[in-house]
Amino acid sequence: MTDNAGEVQIDVPRDRDGSFEPQLVKKRQRRLTEVDEIVLSLYAKGLTTGEISAHFADVYGASVSKDTVSKITDRVIEEMQAWWQRPLEKVYAAVFIDATSRVSMVKIRDGQVRNRPVYAAIGVDLEGHKDILGMWAGDGDGESAKFWLQVLTQLKNHRVEEPWCPRRVLRCL
């Protein structure tokens, strides 16, 4: 399955000792990565698995089952969970927290697709490198102290200490 040509039949030569290794399409590979990228793009735009499957049939003349679309999107969820679990620095020189954009909203699927604000926490480590500490989907009811308390509590539970400040250095001396 490719994004340009749809379904393509590939004849793999047989060799007695099994040493043949294809270079472009690996053994037992059924889709090229462009298909995955298209599926993820359509899913991010809010299409359902059935709509994505129908899109491939209409545009590319290829059948991609709803189950295959779900498997592709589930891999992204696994990667996202691994990203959330990654270790963070204990101390950041500064932490910036705010909505990604006050004007635009992001389409988020939560049972249904709807526009919601996304809030981000960005930390600057002691070497000056920026790190996205987390992103949270808001409910659209504005930024409240209760919401930010939950965000900061999550960061603290993720072993991020309070931002570094020069007074801490003076206290240590």
Side-chain angles (χ1 to χ4, degrees), residues 1-8 34-35 37-39 42 52-64:
M1 173 78 62
T2 69
D3 60 340
N4 295 328
E7 237 175 82
V8 176
E34 297 89 22
V35 172
E37 291 171 9
I38 293 170
V39 167
L42 294 172
I52 294 170
S53 181
H55 175 79
F56 270 93
D58 293 344
V59 175
Y60 300 108
S63 76
V64 177

Side-chain angles (χ1 to χ4, degrees), residues 12-93:
V12 179
R14 295 181 179 209
D15 60 324
R16 292 187 187 268
D17 61 354
S19 62
F20 176 76
E21 283 295 325
Q23 297 301 308
L24 296 177
V25 181
K26 303 293 181 200
K27 288 182 180 179
R28 292 177 276 294
Q29 182 178 357
R30 298 182 53 90
R31 291 184 320 275
L32 296 179
T33 56
E34 297 89 22
V35 172
D36 291 4
E37 291 171 9
I38 293 170
V39 167
L40 293 174
S41 174
L42 294 172
Y43 192 75
K45 292 186 186 313
L47 272 69
T48 65
T49 56
E51 292 169 335
I52 294 170
S53 181
H55 175 79
F56 270 93
D58 293 344
V59 175
Y60 300 108
S63 76
V64 177
S65 69
K66 292 188 223 176
D67 188 47
T68 301
V69 171
S70 292
K71 287 178 184 175
I72 293 169
T73 56
D74 286 347
R75 277 200 308 265
V76 172
I77 292 171
E78 291 170 8
E79 290 176 18
M80 184 182 69
Q81 289 172 341
W83 181 80
W84 271 105
Q85 299 301 322
R86 78 197 189 285
L88 297 175
E89 298 288 332
K90 282 189 161 195
V91 176
Y92 287 93

